[in-house]
Every structure is written in C-alpha cells, then in structure tokens.
Amino acid sequence: MSGDADKLPVRVELDASQMQVTVYLKSRSNPIVAPVLGWDNDDNGNPKRIYLACRIHKAANDYSGWDMRGAISTILEKQEG
C-alpha cells in the first residue's frame, strides 16, 4: 500500500457550462480536458462526483485530492478531508 507522499496530486475544474472538466496532474505539463456526462454536488453545492465520457485514469488509484475509477469511463470523486 502506498502512502500519501507517493500519491499524485490532482486538481479538477468544472467549466461554467458544466459540459467539460479540466484535470491537472502534477506529472503532466498539459492538463487533460474531457467531456462531462453528469455530476453530483455535496450539501454546499460543490461538485463531489463527476462522470466523464471517456477514461483518463490508469488502473492504479494513486491520486491525491480526487479518486479516479471506472472500467469504461472515468468517475472523479472528491476525497474527504
């Protein structure tokens, strides 16, 4: 099991139209831009889960800030804390 220090920081921005997301990974010089299928908000109205139309993650979940999962397309889920 990897520790938090081994995890790759992730920053996610949902655009104003909520039709695409920009994902910033520390290991990449260019962000990933992907179309959004839908999202769920937390009690404060902030995105907590974003469903993408494509797969942008690796099989291993070594990310910090947002979890990425899904077999066919990526589901981004905000980590608690």
Side-chain angles (χ1 to χ4, degrees):
M1 181 184 298
S2 62
D4 286 342
D6 298 331
K7 294 195 175 228
L8 185 64
V10 176
R11 184 169 52 97
V12 173
E13 293 178 2
L14 189 60
D15 77 343
S17 71
Q18 299 181 329
M19 297 301 291
Q20 75 178 17
V21 68
T22 305
V23 180
Y24 299 89
L25 300 171
K26 187 175 181 181
S27 65
R28 293 180 55 112
S29 58
N30 296 322
I32 300 167
V33 178
V36 172
L37 294 173
W39 64 93
D40 297 323
N41 289 334
D42 62 15
D43 294 336
N44 297 321
N46 299 313
K48 69 174 181 180
R49 194 173 300 113
I50 304 171
Y51 304 91
L52 304 184
C54 58
R55 184 176 168 148
I56 65 166
H57 68 287
K58 300 182 296 186
N61 189 6
D62 294 327
Y63 305 105
S64 171
W66 288 79
D67 289 325
M68 295 189 210
R69 59 187 167 85
I72 305 299
S73 63
T74 296
I75 301 169
L76 299 165
E77 187 162 2
K78 183 97 168 136
Q79 295 175 353
E80 297 290 326

